[in-house]
Amino acid sequence: MDVMVLTAEGLPLVAQSWADPVPGPGEVLIRVTACGVCRTDLHVVDGDLPPLRRPIVPGHEIVGRVTALGAGVSHLALGERVGVGWLGRSCQACPYCREDRENLCDDPEFTGYTRNGGFATHAVADARFAYPLGEVGEDAALAPLLCAGLIGWRSLVMAGEGRRLGLYGFGAAAHILTQVARWQGRDVYAFTRSGDAQAQDFARRMGAVWAGGSDEAPPEPLDAAIIFAPVGALVPAALKAVRKGGRVVCGGIHMSDIPSFPYRWLWEERQVLSVANLTRRDAADFLALARRVGIHTQTVSYPLARANDALDDLRSGRLSGAAVLIPPA
Ligand SMILES: [Zn+2]
Ligand SMILES: [Zn+2]
């Protein structure tokens, strides 16, 4: 198998050839056909997250076909198209798993962070965390649903039922979520880097009723806001933009420090929440919903060997939509 791997020496990712892995009991081997590039991959390779394992193959928006079944796997078939996301395994024994909150598991494994991910021609996954994708839709178009879509969905549920929804940071997650929110009859207000006309145009094309800089006030108070950009200063900005009782949901795994702000911006029962990881129920709910909504993802494809270019483009904000790596056939 070919991999793009983060070594102990750090960036850039290095192309290597490894022996094909053999799936253990309860696992499947997947021939990767597309793997999305998520902001969390950037946090892994840039060292914003603690380096738990090196070398590590990043990538947790995997689409591919099952090519080998480990012992005891009977619910997936050889050749079946599956997707694998960030939650690679949960322990099923800790208090959180027993409370049906496996996203908070005390002993989890994360794809592309603590176990090798999909910046590769092949990947091994726990079969319980490989989601059947069916045959509708192209591999590259489905890949961003596996994290940007799933975490976005969990964030949207956390944001509540309000009609006026603000999205801070208009990348892969926001462009998917805007389509879901519109389908639900909500109005989306998109906040981008100040003066980023390209991102604001993109947001309007995706259906946002308003797009502006994150330093601007929306034309109406928002019911809720979700922050996808890893910028702590957006928390007080979003609190100022939501009405009394409104919610601000932080959707990313990493964020710069939140600056201090006056208590009156939180006062009147405004809430700040964070979203961590996902559960298999989130995946089942969202992937079913995505089929009904008919989500159209905007992707930019790169050959697997150009993974570093894809990461650079995401880091610099040059992308409109989602970057997807395509391994050689
Ligand atoms: Zn657990
Ligand atoms: Zn992700």
Side-chain angles (χ1 to χ4, degrees):
M1 63 187 268
D2 299 331
V3 300
M4 292 297 288
V5 60
L6 180 66
T7 66
E9 288 74 44
L11 287 173
L13 302 185
V14 178
Q16 293 183 353
S17 285
W18 292 0
D20 283 355
V22 176
E27 293 182 328
V28 288
L29 178 64
I30 296 166
R31 178 66 165 90
V32 180
T33 51
C35 186
V37 181
C38 170
R39 184 162 291 281
T40 300
D41 295 312
L42 266 191
H43 296 318
V44 170
V45 302
D46 289 348
D48 296 322
L49 299 179
L52 298 182
R53 182 173 156 189
R54 299 280 165 82
I56 183 76
V57 178
H60 57 272
E61 294 181 329
I62 302 173
V63 175
R65 301 261 170 196
V66 175
T67 56
L69 302 168
V73 178
S74 56
H75 69 288
L76 296 175
L78 288 174
E80 186 165 0
R81 185 166 68 164
V82 295
V84 178
W86 173 245
L87 186 64
R89 181 175 285 163
S90 63
C91 77
Q92 301 301 304
C94 75
Y96 297 101
C97 283
R98 290 204 303 266
E99 285 170 11
D100 220 7
R101 301 166 82 192
E102 66 179 346
N103 61 305
L104 300 178
C105 176
D106 282 334
D107 189 20
E109 288 185 22
F110 296 115
T111 311
Y113 183 40
T114 67
R115 58 186 293 149
N116 285 323
F119 289 7
T121 53
H122 297 76
V124 168
D126 185 317
R128 296 169 300 172
F129 293 80
Y131 314 119
L133 292 179
E135 295 297 330
V136 177
E138 292 184 12
D139 297 337
L142 292 173
L145 302 182
L146 270 305
C147 187
L150 271 173
I151 297 286
W153 168 247
R154 189 172 176 86
S155 303
L156 184 63
V157 172
M158 290 273 242
E161 304 284 313
R163 179 190 169 107
R164 290 178 180 147
L165 177 71
L167 300 178
Y168 286 78
F170 207 89
H175 97 287
I176 294 170
L177 211 54
T178 298
Q179 298 173 57
V180 176
R182 285 192 64 207
W183 182 81
Q184 293 175 325
R186 307 191 201 214
D187 294 333
V188 171
Y189 298 74
F191 298 82
T192 72
R193 292 181 219 216
S194 180
D196 190 342
Q198 187 190 340
Q200 290 166 17
D201 285 346
F202 179 46
R204 286 188 206 96
R205 275 204 313 279
M206 289 291 129
V209 296
W210 177 90
S214 56
D215 52 347
E216 294 177 45
E220 286 93 23
L222 305 175
D223 297 311
I226 304 172
I227 302 175
F228 291 116
V231 179
L234 294 175
V235 173
L239 276 170
K240 277 199 287 184
V242 298
R243 64 170 173 78
K244 290 183 277 189
R247 285 189 192 164
V248 173
V249 178
C250 302
I253 192 170
H254 169 81
M255 185 178 254
S256 57
D257 287 353
I258 300 169
S260 68
F261 56 88
Y263 176 61
R264 68 174 183 278
W265 296 355
L266 182 63
W267 163 242
E268 294 168 327
E269 301 193 347
R270 292 174 180 87
Q271 301 175 56
V272 178
L273 306 98
S274 71
V275 162
N277 313 317
L278 69 148
T279 66
R280 280 171 283 173
R281 179 168 305 162
D282 295 329
D285 289 351
F286 175 70
L287 292 171
L289 181 78
R291 281 189 280 273
R292 288 214 303 282
V293 175
I295 291 171
H296 178 80
T297 53
Q298 180 158 327
T299 60
V300 182
S301 291
Y302 298 74
L304 174 63
R306 287 189 56 216
N308 288 303
D309 295 334
L311 289 166
D312 284 345
D313 289 348
L314 179 59
R315 194 185 285 108
S316 67
R318 276 195 290 270
L319 283 166
S320 279
V324 178
L325 301 183
I326 307 295

